[in-house]
Amino acid sequence: MNPWPEPSPQRTGCAPSPWVMLILCPVLSLLAVVWHGPWSMPVLAVVEGVLLVISRPGPRRLLRLAMACFWQIAVVTGLYCLRFGPQEWRGGLDVSLRLILVFVPGMLTIRMVPPAAFERILKRILPGNLPFVASCCLRFFPLLLERARIIHEAQVLRGARVLPRELLNPRNWPDAVSCIALPAVVQSVELATEIANSARARGFSMRGRRTSWPLNEEQRHAEAQSAAKESTR
Amino acid sequence: MTDQASATGLRDTLLVGFCALFLLVTKLALRLNLGIPGHAMFFTIFFLILPRAVTGRKLAATATGLAAGLASVLLGMGKGGPLLLLKFLFPSLCVDLAFLLFPGMGGSLLFCTLVGFVAAATRIVGVAVTDWLVGMDPAIIMAHAFIKTLGGALFGALGGLAAAPIIRKLKARGLLPQGR
C-alpha cells in the first residue's frame, strides 16, 4: 500500500507557506524520533492531525493512509510479538505509532508544497542544477513506488512466492530479488531515462543556466525583455 | 558537453537520487528495535552497489551515500548526529574504490559479497569515533565497535549478494554502460 500522495500543483487552501512546511515537517519527524516523553505522542499526533486536516486529503486518500497505518501497526506489532513474546505488544504498538508520526510529515510536505515552490527553495540551498534533480526525484518517487507495488501484485498473481509471510522463509528471498528487485530497478532506469529525455527536450540539462522560473512578475517581465533584446541583436 | 551526454548525466544523477531515496525509506522502515544488530545494512549496501554498477560513474556510490547521509542527519535518524554521515561515507567510498580497482566485476557474486562485507565493516570507524567522542574507555572501544559492526558486515555481505544477480541480469540485457 503506497500512502505517498501525489503532490498538489498549487497550495491548498489555508496551508502554511512552503518555507514553514519545509522547516516544520523535518522538525516534527525529528521530534517523533528523539522526544520520548509521555506527552510526545499526543502532542505530535495533534499537530500532525491539524496539518493533515489543513491539507484537505479527501476520503480516498484518508482511506489509503488509514490502510497503510493499519498494515504498519499489524506488521511491526506482529514482529515484536514474534521476537519478544506476546507480552511485548505495547512496545511494538509504540514503535509503529512513532514510525507513522515520522512518515506523515514527509507525506504532508509532498502534498502541501508545490514542486515549483520546492525547487525554488532548494535553489537557495543547493548548488548548480541539483535542486532540479532533487525536486524531480521527490516528485517522481511516489510514481516509482506505485510501479513497484504493481510489479509486486503482478508477480503474486503469477505465483511468485513474494507475499510478506512467504518472505519470512529465506528460501524465497531469491524470488524477491529476481521477481521484484530486478523489474523495479529496470523501471527506475526507464523512468530516469524518460525524465532526462523530457527535460532535454524542454531545454533543461545538467549544465543549463536555469531550471526554475521566478514567480515574481517583475523578474519575469525583466527576463522577457532581456530575451527579446538578445533576439533582436 | 553535448545534449546527449547532458541527458545521460541527468539520468545518472536521477538514478542516484532515486537510490538515495530508496535507501532513506528502507532505513526509516527498518528503524525497528528487533535485537538484530546491523539489519539495516542489507539495504544500505544494496542501494550503494546498485547505482555504482548501473550508472558506471566513478563516485556514484559516494554521491548516493552523501545524499542519504545528509538527509538522515537532517531528519535526525540514528544515533550520532552529524557523525551519522561518516557511517554512510566510509561504506560508499569503499564501494566506489572497489569498483574502481576491479572494473567489470559487478556481476560476480563473490566480488559483490566481499565488497558488501568490507564496505559494511568500515562502519567500525564511525562507531569507534562516536564511542571515543562520548568518552568511552579506549580498551572497550574496539571490542564494542567490533561487536556492533560484525552483524552489519554480515548483512552487508547479504546485500552485496542480492545486488550481484541483478547487475548480472542487467548486463546480460545490455542495460549497463559497456565496460563498466
Side-chain angles (χ1 to χ4, degrees):
Chain A
M1 177 75 51
N2 173 20
W4 221 291
E6 283 296 307
S8 72
Q10 53 211 357
R11 284 176 62 193
T12 46
C14 52
S17 79
W19 268 105
V20 173
M21 283 305 294
L22 281 176
I23 294 169
L24 187 64
C25 287
V27 169
L28 285 173
S29 283
L30 183 64
L31 284 176
V33 176
V34 297
W35 184 23
H36 285 270
W39 286 99
S40 65
M41 297 251 276
V43 170
L44 289 172
V46 167
V47 175
E48 291 182 17
V50 168
L51 284 174
L52 189 66
V53 170
I54 291 175
S55 74
R56 290 193 285 180
R60 204 164 147 232
R61 190 157 285 123
L62 270 180
L63 185 69
R64 277 169 71 184
L65 182 64
M67 286 296 285
C69 290
F70 171 76
W71 282 114
Q72 169 94 327
I73 291 170
V75 169
V76 176
T77 314
L79 282 172
Y80 261 72
C81 289
L82 276 175
R83 180 70 179 83
F84 301 113
Q87 71 279 7
E88 269 302 314
W89 66 273
R90 281 186 72 91
L93 186 67
D94 187 69
V95 170
S96 55
L97 289 175
R98 253 176 216 289
L99 276 175
I100 292 167
L101 290 176
V102 171
F103 270 121
V104 167
M107 200 189 78
L108 289 173
T109 312
I110 292 187
R111 166 90 184 133
M112 292 167 78
V113 179
F118 184 64
E119 194 181 328
R120 268 191 296 280
I121 290 171
L122 281 182
K123 265 188 99 68
R124 298 184 183 191
I125 308 164
L126 294 172
N129 285 350
L130 283 180
F132 172 64
V133 174
S135 73
C136 261
C137 285
L138 283 174
R139 166 72 182 82
F140 288 101
F141 192 64
L143 184 65
L144 206 52
L145 285 181
E146 187 63 20
R147 286 188 183 184
R149 191 185 64 78
I150 292 168
I151 290 168
H152 182 262
E153 276 184 9
Q155 297 288 7
V156 168
L157 286 176
R158 68 183 275 262
R161 289 160 298 179
V162 289
L163 282 171
R165 65 170 178 276
E166 288 164 337
L167 287 178
L168 288 175
N169 183 354
R171 277 194 294 181
N172 295 335
W173 293 354
D175 270 20
V177 171
S178 58
C179 298
I180 307 289
L182 178 67
V185 170
V186 173
Q187 284 286 333
S188 309
V189 174
E190 194 182 304
L191 184 64
T193 311
E194 271 175 39
I195 298 169
N197 286 340
S198 309
R200 188 171 60 120
R202 287 160 180 79
F204 286 65
S205 66
M206 280 303 288
R207 303 290 165 105
R209 279 168 50 207
R210 185 174 56 189
T211 54
S212 74
W213 269 256
L215 262 191
N216 186 329
E217 278 305 318
E218 279 177 27
Q219 284 175 320
R220 190 176 290 176
H221 189 62
E223 292 241 344
Q225 276 190 332
S226 66
K229 266 183 199 172
E230 270 185 25
S231 64
T232 51
R233 265 180 206 165
Chain B
M1 186 179 263
T2 62
D3 258 12
Q4 188 57 48
S6 169
T8 313
L10 186 57
R11 187 201 75 155
D12 291 347
T13 321
L14 282 166
L15 268 175
V16 165
F18 283 143
C19 285
L21 272 177
F22 269 123
L23 178 48
L24 205 64
V25 167
T26 46
K27 204 104 178 136
L28 269 171
L30 287 173
R31 284 184 59 84
L32 316 172
N33 188 12
L34 293 177
I36 311 168
H39 61 299
M41 214 54 191
F42 175 85
F43 286 109
T44 305
I45 295 300
F46 183 79
F47 286 116
L48 285 179
I49 291 183
L50 262 188
R52 177 62 183 84
V54 174
T55 63
R57 303 266 165 182
K58 277 176 189 156
L59 288 172
T62 309
T64 310
L66 269 180
L70 279 172
S72 310
V73 171
L74 288 176
L75 288 174
M77 290 160 59
K79 291 159 277 179
L83 285 173
L84 199 63
L85 203 57
L86 286 183
K87 293 181 185 173
F88 279 99
L89 194 62
F90 285 114
S92 48
L93 277 173
C94 189
V95 169
D96 274 336
L97 191 69
F99 274 79
L100 196 67
L101 293 176
F102 304 98
M105 294 279 285
S108 158
L109 281 177
L110 185 67
F111 173 75
C112 283
T113 309
L114 275 177
V115 169
F117 186 86
V118 175
T122 54
R123 273 188 67 185
I124 199 166
V125 181
V127 177
V129 169
T130 314
D131 287 352
W132 180 67
L133 285 176
V134 296
M136 193 181 278
D137 190 274
I140 303 172
I141 286 178
M142 276 321 284
H144 177 240
F146 178 75
I147 292 167
K148 274 189 91 170
T149 314
L150 186 66
L154 292 175
F155 275 99
L158 278 178
L161 199 63
I166 293 179
I167 296 168
R168 192 184 291 173
K169 283 177 181 167
L170 288 174
K171 202 181 261 182
R173 286 159 178 76
L175 287 167
L176 294 191
Q178 288 300 311
R180 284 165 177 176

